[in-house]
Amino acid sequence: MSQGLLLFAHGARDPDWARPFEAVAARLARQRPGLAMRLAYLEFMSPSLEEAAHGLAAEGCDTIHIVPMFLGTGGHVRRDIPPLLASLESQYGDAVQWLLHPALGDQERIIQAMAEASLAWLDGPAEEHP
């Protein structure tokens, strides 16, 4: 079984918006050099979820983990992703398993990291914080 990781973010017209997501993808690539991974966007940026998914499938991934890089499970996660997944499932049938995970912002460790980062501004001079 070959696994792939598809990071899925909203996208924006401003290319600088994507820097944090690109930084996450770069860290993952350094931590797992052999990992088949793509960063995809819902709108305004490319690749799309479908393009990234096709790339991972072409690399031989038969299980693809989709991680919504959203702060919460809002409309995009509930409304926009399911039809995209349904389309992929119909195209690939049983050849690829698509595993949609919860939005990152709904995970306890992310909530804790955001709380700690917020409090860090109170704990020291601003020049110590990125």
mmCIF file of all heavy atoms in Angstrom, residues 30-61:
data_model
loop_
_atom_site.group_PDB
_atom_site.id
_atom_site.type_symbol
_atom_site.label_atom_id
_atom_site.label_comp_id
_atom_site.label_asym_id
_atom_site.label_seq_id
_atom_site.Cartn_x
_atom_site.Cartn_y
_atom_site.Cartn_z
ATOM 1 N N ARG A 30 10.928 17.782 4.302
ATOM 2 C CA ARG A 30 12.215 17.552 4.983
ATOM 3 C C ARG A 30 12.107 16.415 5.996
ATOM 4 O O ARG A 30 13.026 15.618 6.142
ATOM 5 C CB ARG A 30 12.686 18.823 5.683
ATOM 6 C CG ARG A 30 13.254 19.872 4.741
ATOM 7 C CD ARG A 30 13.984 20.993 5.482
ATOM 8 N NE ARG A 30 13.172 21.683 6.468
ATOM 9 C CZ ARG A 30 12.354 22.705 6.218
ATOM 10 N NH1 ARG A 30 12.233 23.166 4.993
ATOM 11 N NH2 ARG A 30 11.677 23.281 7.188
ATOM 12 N N GLN A 31 10.982 16.353 6.704
ATOM 13 C CA GLN A 31 10.807 15.326 7.730
ATOM 14 C C GLN A 31 10.537 13.945 7.142
ATOM 15 O O GLN A 31 10.902 12.934 7.748
ATOM 16 C CB GLN A 31 9.660 15.715 8.669
ATOM 17 C CG GLN A 31 9.981 16.913 9.526
ATOM 18 C CD GLN A 31 8.767 17.401 10.318
ATOM 19 O OE1 GLN A 31 7.711 16.788 10.313
ATOM 20 N NE2 GLN A 31 8.932 18.531 10.982
ATOM 21 N N ARG A 32 9.900 13.891 6.001
ATOM 22 C CA ARG A 32 9.572 12.623 5.332
ATOM 23 C C ARG A 32 9.969 12.723 3.864
ATOM 24 O O ARG A 32 9.118 12.887 2.987
ATOM 25 C CB ARG A 32 8.080 12.321 5.432
ATOM 26 C CG ARG A 32 7.559 12.137 6.822
ATOM 27 C CD ARG A 32 7.517 10.643 7.174
ATOM 28 N NE ARG A 32 7.028 10.457 8.513
ATOM 29 C CZ ARG A 32 5.805 10.026 8.812
ATOM 30 N NH1 ARG A 32 4.953 9.749 7.864
ATOM 31 N NH2 ARG A 32 5.466 9.869 10.076
ATOM 32 N N PRO A 33 11.260 12.599 3.571
ATOM 33 C CA PRO A 33 11.743 12.813 2.203
ATOM 34 C C PRO A 33 11.073 11.948 1.134
ATOM 35 O O PRO A 33 10.917 12.381 0.011
ATOM 36 C CB PRO A 33 13.236 12.511 2.288
ATOM 37 C CG PRO A 33 13.582 12.567 3.724
ATOM 38 C CD PRO A 33 12.340 12.292 4.490
ATOM 39 N N GLY A 34 10.656 10.749 1.470
ATOM 40 C CA GLY A 34 10.050 9.878 0.465
ATOM 41 C C GLY A 34 8.537 9.990 0.370
ATOM 42 O O GLY A 34 7.909 9.278 -0.416
ATOM 43 N N LEU A 35 7.943 10.879 1.130
ATOM 44 C CA LEU A 35 6.489 10.995 1.175
ATOM 45 C C LEU A 35 5.944 11.612 -0.110
ATOM 46 O O LEU A 35 6.389 12.679 -0.544
ATOM 47 C CB LEU A 35 6.076 11.869 2.376
ATOM 48 C CG LEU A 35 4.597 12.170 2.537
ATOM 49 C CD1 LEU A 35 3.809 10.891 2.804
ATOM 50 C CD2 LEU A 35 4.393 13.178 3.656
ATOM 51 N N ALA A 36 4.971 10.940 -0.686
ATOM 52 C CA ALA A 36 4.249 11.510 -1.832
ATOM 53 C C ALA A 36 3.270 12.529 -1.261
ATOM 54 O O ALA A 36 2.379 12.175 -0.486
ATOM 55 C CB ALA A 36 3.525 10.407 -2.590
ATOM 56 N N MET A 37 3.450 13.779 -1.624
ATOM 57 C CA MET A 37 2.654 14.845 -1.011
ATOM 58 C C MET A 37 2.384 15.943 -2.024
ATOM 59 O O MET A 37 3.214 16.237 -2.875
ATOM 60 C CB MET A 37 3.413 15.433 0.186
ATOM 61 C CG MET A 37 2.671 16.552 0.881
ATOM 62 S SD MET A 37 3.669 17.392 2.123
ATOM 63 C CE MET A 37 5.138 17.817 1.224
ATOM 64 N N ARG A 38 1.225 16.562 -1.880
ATOM 65 C CA ARG A 38 0.864 17.720 -2.690
ATOM 66 C C ARG A 38 0.145 18.727 -1.801
ATOM 67 O O ARG A 38 -0.561 18.361 -0.866
ATOM 68 C CB ARG A 38 -0.096 17.348 -3.822
ATOM 69 C CG ARG A 38 0.431 16.399 -4.869
ATOM 70 C CD ARG A 38 1.381 17.092 -5.818
ATOM 71 N NE ARG A 38 1.676 16.305 -6.990
ATOM 72 C CZ ARG A 38 2.431 15.224 -7.016
ATOM 73 N NH1 ARG A 38 2.963 14.763 -5.915
ATOM 74 N NH2 ARG A 38 2.668 14.582 -8.142
ATOM 75 N N LEU A 39 0.288 19.988 -2.137
ATOM 76 C CA LEU A 39 -0.462 21.081 -1.537
ATOM 77 C C LEU A 39 -1.409 21.581 -2.619
ATOM 78 O O LEU A 39 -0.964 21.902 -3.730
ATOM 79 C CB LEU A 39 0.489 22.191 -1.076
ATOM 80 C CG LEU A 39 -0.119 23.500 -0.588
ATOM 81 C CD1 LEU A 39 -1.052 23.276 0.594
ATOM 82 C CD2 LEU A 39 0.986 24.489 -0.226
ATOM 83 N N ALA A 40 -2.706 21.616 -2.305
ATOM 84 C CA ALA A 40 -3.702 22.016 -3.291
ATOM 85 C C ALA A 40 -4.606 23.094 -2.699
ATOM 86 O O ALA A 40 -4.627 23.308 -1.490
ATOM 87 C CB ALA A 40 -4.535 20.806 -3.698
ATOM 88 N N TYR A 41 -5.364 23.739 -3.591
ATOM 89 C CA TYR A 41 -6.196 24.863 -3.182
ATOM 90 C C TYR A 41 -7.611 24.731 -3.744
ATOM 91 O O TYR A 41 -7.815 24.200 -4.838
ATOM 92 C CB TYR A 41 -5.580 26.170 -3.680
ATOM 93 C CG TYR A 41 -4.177 26.373 -3.160
ATOM 94 C CD1 TYR A 41 -3.076 26.024 -3.929
ATOM 95 C CD2 TYR A 41 -3.962 26.866 -1.880
ATOM 96 C CE1 TYR A 41 -1.788 26.187 -3.444
ATOM 97 C CE2 TYR A 41 -2.673 27.031 -1.389
ATOM 98 C CZ TYR A 41 -1.589 26.686 -2.175
ATOM 99 O OH TYR A 41 -0.311 26.836 -1.690
ATOM 100 N N LEU A 42 -8.557 25.259 -3.005
ATOM 101 C CA LEU A 42 -9.955 25.243 -3.417
ATOM 102 C C LEU A 42 -10.200 26.236 -4.546
ATOM 103 O O LEU A 42 -10.897 25.935 -5.512
ATOM 104 C CB LEU A 42 -10.852 25.570 -2.217
ATOM 105 C CG LEU A 42 -12.342 25.656 -2.495
ATOM 106 C CD1 LEU A 42 -12.877 24.302 -2.973
ATOM 107 C CD2 LEU A 42 -13.085 26.111 -1.250
ATOM 108 N N GLU A 43 -9.615 27.433 -4.420
ATOM 109 C CA GLU A 43 -9.851 28.445 -5.446
ATOM 110 C C GLU A 43 -8.707 29.450 -5.504
ATOM 111 O O GLU A 43 -7.885 29.531 -4.598
ATOM 112 C CB GLU A 43 -11.182 29.172 -5.200
ATOM 113 C CG GLU A 43 -11.303 29.820 -3.838
ATOM 114 C CD GLU A 43 -12.709 30.335 -3.559
ATOM 115 O OE1 GLU A 43 -13.642 30.051 -4.325
ATOM 116 O OE2 GLU A 43 -12.860 31.035 -2.554
ATOM 117 N N PHE A 44 -8.645 30.157 -6.610
ATOM 118 C CA PHE A 44 -7.700 31.248 -6.879
ATOM 119 C C PHE A 44 -6.259 30.789 -7.116
ATOM 120 O O PHE A 44 -5.485 31.514 -7.711
ATOM 121 C CB PHE A 44 -7.689 32.304 -5.755
ATOM 122 C CG PHE A 44 -9.024 32.895 -5.463
ATOM 123 C CD1 PHE A 44 -9.588 32.767 -4.219
ATOM 124 C CD2 PHE A 44 -9.732 33.574 -6.444
ATOM 125 C CE1 PHE A 44 -10.828 33.306 -3.930
ATOM 126 C CE2 PHE A 44 -10.976 34.116 -6.179
ATOM 127 C CZ PHE A 44 -11.523 33.987 -4.918
ATOM 128 N N MET A 45 -5.852 29.644 -6.621
ATOM 129 C CA MET A 45 -4.474 29.184 -6.747
ATOM 130 C C MET A 45 -4.474 27.767 -7.308
ATOM 131 O O MET A 45 -5.504 27.102 -7.340
ATOM 132 C CB MET A 45 -3.765 29.228 -5.388
ATOM 133 C CG MET A 45 -3.814 30.603 -4.743
ATOM 134 S SD MET A 45 -3.062 30.646 -3.121
ATOM 135 C CE MET A 45 -1.503 31.369 -3.587
ATOM 136 N N SER A 46 -3.336 27.339 -7.743
ATOM 137 C CA SER A 46 -3.237 25.986 -8.250
ATOM 138 C C SER A 46 -2.059 25.272 -7.587
ATOM 139 O O SER A 46 -1.152 25.936 -7.088
ATOM 140 C CB SER A 46 -3.091 25.991 -9.771
ATOM 141 O OG SER A 46 -1.905 26.643 -10.145
ATOM 142 N N PRO A 47 -2.117 23.961 -7.562
ATOM 143 C CA PRO A 47 -3.080 23.109 -8.243
ATOM 144 C C PRO A 47 -4.381 22.992 -7.468
ATOM 145 O O PRO A 47 -4.454 23.281 -6.282
ATOM 146 C CB PRO A 47 -2.372 21.745 -8.289
ATOM 147 C CG PRO A 47 -1.528 21.734 -7.060
ATOM 148 C CD PRO A 47 -1.075 23.170 -6.879
ATOM 149 N N SER A 48 -5.409 22.542 -8.166
ATOM 150 C CA SER A 48 -6.692 22.261 -7.530
ATOM 151 C C SER A 48 -6.586 20.919 -6.804
ATOM 152 O O SER A 48 -5.623 20.168 -6.988
ATOM 153 C CB SER A 48 -7.791 22.175 -8.594
ATOM 154 O OG SER A 48 -7.565 21.038 -9.422
ATOM 155 N N LEU A 49 -7.583 20.612 -6.016
ATOM 156 C CA LEU A 49 -7.627 19.320 -5.337
ATOM 157 C C LEU A 49 -7.567 18.186 -6.349
ATOM 158 O O LEU A 49 -6.822 17.227 -6.182
ATOM 159 C CB LEU A 49 -8.897 19.201 -4.487
ATOM 160 C CG LEU A 49 -9.026 17.874 -3.758
ATOM 161 C CD1 LEU A 49 -8.556 18.023 -2.320
ATOM 162 C CD2 LEU A 49 -10.432 17.356 -3.781
ATOM 163 N N GLU A 50 -8.345 18.306 -7.406
ATOM 164 C CA GLU A 50 -8.379 17.250 -8.417
ATOM 165 C C GLU A 50 -7.020 17.080 -9.093
ATOM 166 O O GLU A 50 -6.548 15.953 -9.274
ATOM 167 C CB GLU A 50 -9.471 17.547 -9.451
ATOM 168 C CG GLU A 50 -9.644 16.407 -10.434
ATOM 169 C CD GLU A 50 -10.821 16.619 -11.371
ATOM 170 O OE1 GLU A 50 -11.054 17.771 -11.790
ATOM 171 O OE2 GLU A 50 -11.476 15.623 -11.679
ATOM 172 N N GLU A 51 -6.377 18.184 -9.460
ATOM 173 C CA GLU A 51 -5.058 18.087 -10.108
ATOM 174 C C GLU A 51 -4.041 17.424 -9.178
ATOM 175 O O GLU A 51 -3.277 16.555 -9.603
ATOM 176 C CB GLU A 51 -4.560 19.480 -10.507
ATOM 177 C CG GLU A 51 -5.349 20.112 -11.630
ATOM 178 C CD GLU A 51 -5.073 21.610 -11.771
ATOM 179 O OE1 GLU A 51 -4.637 22.263 -10.799
ATOM 180 O OE2 GLU A 51 -5.294 22.118 -12.873
ATOM 181 N N ALA A 52 -4.045 17.842 -7.919
ATOM 182 C CA ALA A 52 -3.109 17.265 -6.951
ATOM 183 C C ALA A 52 -3.405 15.789 -6.723
ATOM 184 O O ALA A 52 -2.496 14.956 -6.637
ATOM 185 C CB ALA A 52 -3.169 18.042 -5.638
ATOM 186 N N ALA A 53 -4.687 15.452 -6.645
ATOM 187 C CA ALA A 53 -5.079 14.053 -6.442
ATOM 188 C C ALA A 53 -4.629 13.187 -7.614
ATOM 189 O O ALA A 53 -4.108 12.085 -7.417
ATOM 190 C CB ALA A 53 -6.597 13.964 -6.259
ATOM 191 N N HIS A 54 -4.815 13.682 -8.833
ATOM 192 C CA HIS A 54 -4.362 12.933 -10.007
ATOM 193 C C HIS A 54 -2.852 12.716 -9.968
ATOM 194 O O HIS A 54 -2.359 11.643 -10.324
ATOM 195 C CB HIS A 54 -4.748 13.649 -11.299
ATOM 196 C CG HIS A 54 -6.217 13.652 -11.591
ATOM 197 N ND1 HIS A 54 -7.048 12.570 -11.400
ATOM 198 C CD2 HIS A 54 -7.017 14.642 -12.067
ATOM 199 C CE1 HIS A 54 -8.284 12.878 -11.756
ATOM 200 N NE2 HIS A 54 -8.290 14.139 -12.158
ATOM 201 N N GLY A 55 -2.122 13.739 -9.517
ATOM 202 C CA GLY A 55 -0.667 13.598 -9.421
ATOM 203 C C GLY A 55 -0.261 12.519 -8.434
ATOM 204 O O GLY A 55 0.639 11.716 -8.709
ATOM 205 N N LEU A 56 -0.916 12.480 -7.286
ATOM 206 C CA LEU A 56 -0.600 11.450 -6.288
ATOM 207 C C LEU A 56 -0.979 10.066 -6.789
ATOM 208 O O LEU A 56 -0.231 9.097 -6.606
ATOM 209 C CB LEU A 56 -1.302 11.760 -4.973
ATOM 210 C CG LEU A 56 -0.742 12.954 -4.199
ATOM 211 C CD1 LEU A 56 -1.673 13.331 -3.049
ATOM 212 C CD2 LEU A 56 0.665 12.660 -3.689
ATOM 213 N N ALA A 57 -2.125 9.958 -7.444
ATOM 214 C CA ALA A 57 -2.528 8.663 -7.998
ATOM 215 C C ALA A 57 -1.553 8.216 -9.078
ATOM 216 O O ALA A 57 -1.194 7.026 -9.144
ATOM 217 C CB ALA A 57 -3.951 8.744 -8.541
ATOM 218 N N ALA A 58 -1.085 9.154 -9.886
ATOM 219 C CA ALA A 58 -0.114 8.816 -10.939
ATOM 220 C C ALA A 58 1.213 8.346 -10.348
ATOM 221 O O ALA A 58 1.937 7.565 -10.980
ATOM 222 C CB ALA A 58 0.106 10.024 -11.855
ATOM 223 N N GLU A 59 1.530 8.806 -9.136
ATOM 224 C CA GLU A 59 2.744 8.338 -8.452
ATOM 225 C C GLU A 59 2.564 6.948 -7.857
ATOM 226 O O GLU A 59 3.492 6.392 -7.288
ATOM 227 C CB GLU A 59 3.121 9.305 -7.320
ATOM 228 C CG GLU A 59 3.823 10.546 -7.771
ATOM 229 C CD GLU A 59 4.304 11.370 -6.590
ATOM 230 O OE1 GLU A 59 4.893 10.804 -5.654
ATOM 231 O OE2 GLU A 59 4.063 12.597 -6.615
ATOM 232 N N GLY A 60 1.363 6.412 -7.944
ATOM 233 C CA GLY A 60 1.108 5.073 -7.437
ATOM 234 C C GLY A 60 0.470 5.018 -6.067
ATOM 235 O O GLY A 60 0.368 3.941 -5.472
ATOM 236 N N CYS A 61 0.010 6.140 -5.550
ATOM 237 C CA CYS A 61 -0.645 6.140 -4.237
ATOM 238 C C CYS A 61 -2.010 5.481 -4.361
ATOM 239 O O CYS A 61 -2.817 5.862 -5.209
ATOM 240 C CB CYS A 61 -0.810 7.566 -3.715
ATOM 241 S SG CYS A 61 0.749 8.402 -3.415
#
